[in-house]
Amino acid sequence: PKDQQQQQEFADPNVLVIQLSSPKVRHAAEIAARPNRAYAKMWGMDYGLHYSEWEQEHCRDVVQILSEVEHRQNNPERKEALKEQEEREPTPRYTSMLFLPPDVIITNLEMDVKALLGNSTESVVAYGKDSGVVLWNLDHDMFQDLLRDLKRDIVDRSTRCHSIDRLVKRTNTVPSNAVEELEERDGFVEPSRFLKYLEGSDKGRDALEMLNHIADSVCYRYYPKCEVVS
């Protein structure tokens, strides 16, 4: 069938997509999850909606999730413990992880996120200045050293971690050319711009309605991709 052939053509099972959220903005994340989950399924990627205890400090969750995945994939003892289980039910080895803010919607379901890296294959992390999207290269030689430094920087829970790109720039682990700004072109995502309005009742309702309209438009354009996601 055509749909199966298209999914095989797009298949990239080594990418994990994580939508970040928190209690106050969970409605926005759940709206954005519809097209974003459809995008992940279309490309054969795994998708997860992660609820944070932090309202403004999602970069702590990014570092925690990266650490858990890195530990599962690279810790020798953990690898041995999971060997028999994975023989029965194979799990993908992630080479890239894409983190999305709660209100960011992928609007171009046919674009490979890796294409946003342009001609560069040397980046350990790439981020969207306007969208807040962050793409990590887990196979980069510098990834583990960078992750170690990031964990050290935010281990003190009283320290505000601001954004991932600012944290990365504060480390001395990676050269500047290994941290890249994503080429946010071709309408891959609708930039993050709704969160600041979600606190107020009237503006919050308007923001959610606008976000829902964008999600509906994407799902309509790519029908029935959003509907077939389980």
Side-chain angles (χ1 to χ4, degrees), residues 129-144:
K129 185 176 181 181
D130 296 326
S131 67
V133 169
V134 184
L135 178 64
W136 292 85
N137 179 0
L138 276 60
D139 276 353
H140 197 284
D141 291 342
M142 299 178 184
F143 171 73
Q144 292 191 26

Side-chain angles (χ1 to χ4, degrees), residues 56-106:
Q56 302 293 334
E57 301 284 301
H58 289 155
C59 53
R60 295 181 186 276
D61 295 273
V62 171
V63 173
Q64 177 186 345
I65 295 169
L66 287 171
S67 299
E68 291 173 355
V69 171
E70 192 275 335
H71 180 75
R72 179 180 67 83
Q73 297 190 158
N74 297 311
N75 183 282
E77 295 181 3
R78 181 66 174 162
K79 278 184 176 180
E80 189 63 30
L82 290 175
K83 188 174 181 180
E84 291 185 6
Q85 176 185 338
E86 291 185 351
E87 286 177 354
R88 295 192 302 269
E89 186 178 351
T91 56
R93 183 187 182 282
Y94 300 119
T95 57
S96 301
M97 291 181 66
L98 175 67
F99 288 88
L100 306 172
D103 61 336
V104 161
I105 291 177
I106 297 175

Side-chain angles (χ1 to χ4, degrees), residues 21-208:
S21 185
S22 56
K24 288 185 179 179
V25 296
R26 67 181 182 85
H27 295 301
E30 289 165 0
I31 291 171
R34 289 171 51 219
N36 293 345
R37 186 179 284 112
Y39 173 83
K41 184 175 180 63
M42 182 174 174
W43 283 86
M45 303 172 180
D46 285 341
Y47 174 91
L49 182 56
H50 175 82
Y51 290 96
S52 171
E53 64 177 290
W54 301 90
E55 292 299 338
Q56 302 293 334
E57 301 284 301
H58 289 155
C59 53
R60 295 181 186 276
D61 295 273
V62 171
V63 173
Q64 177 186 345
I65 295 169
L66 287 171
S67 299
E68 291 173 355
V69 171
E70 192 275 335
H71 180 75
R72 179 180 67 83
Q73 297 190 158
N74 297 311
N75 183 282
E77 295 181 3
R78 181 66 174 162
K79 278 184 176 180
E80 189 63 30
L82 290 175
K83 188 174 181 180
E84 291 185 6
Q85 176 185 338
E86 291 185 351
E87 286 177 354
R88 295 192 302 269
E89 186 178 351
T91 56
R93 183 187 182 282
Y94 300 119
T95 57
S96 301
M97 291 181 66
L98 175 67
F99 288 88
L100 306 172
D103 61 336
V104 161
I105 291 177
I106 297 175
T107 54
N108 186 345
L109 303 192
E110 294 181 343
M111 172 173 282
D112 183 357
V113 63
K114 292 180 180 178
L116 300 180
L117 291 173
N119 297 322
S120 173
T121 57
E122 302 300 322
S123 300
V124 60
V125 59
Y127 65 94
K129 185 176 181 181
D130 296 326
S131 67
V133 169
V134 184
L135 178 64
W136 292 85
N137 179 0
L138 276 60
D139 276 353
H140 197 284
D141 291 342
M142 299 178 184
F143 171 73
Q144 292 191 26
D145 290 338
L146 175 58
L147 181 60
R148 183 195 62 231
D149 285 359
L150 291 176
K151 287 193 287 188
R152 181 196 61 213
D153 285 351
I154 67 171
V155 69
D156 180 3
R157 293 170 71 90
S158 66
T159 302
R160 293 187 64 83
C161 63
H162 302 291
S163 61
I164 279 292
D165 59 294
R166 290 176 65 181
L167 267 181
V168 169
K169 289 175 181 176
R170 275 170 38 195
T171 72
N172 296 317
T173 304
V174 298
S176 58
N177 62 353
V179 181
E180 185 176 2
E181 186 171 334
L182 284 171
E183 297 179 15
E184 297 181 304
R185 64 184 193 281
D186 298 328
F188 176 67
V189 297
E190 180 69 23
S192 176
R193 60 182 183 181
F194 298 99
L195 293 185
K196 61 183 178 182
Y197 298 115
L198 293 178
E199 298 295 331
S201 57
D202 292 337
K203 289 185 177 179
R205 282 193 295 270
D206 291 343
L208 286 176

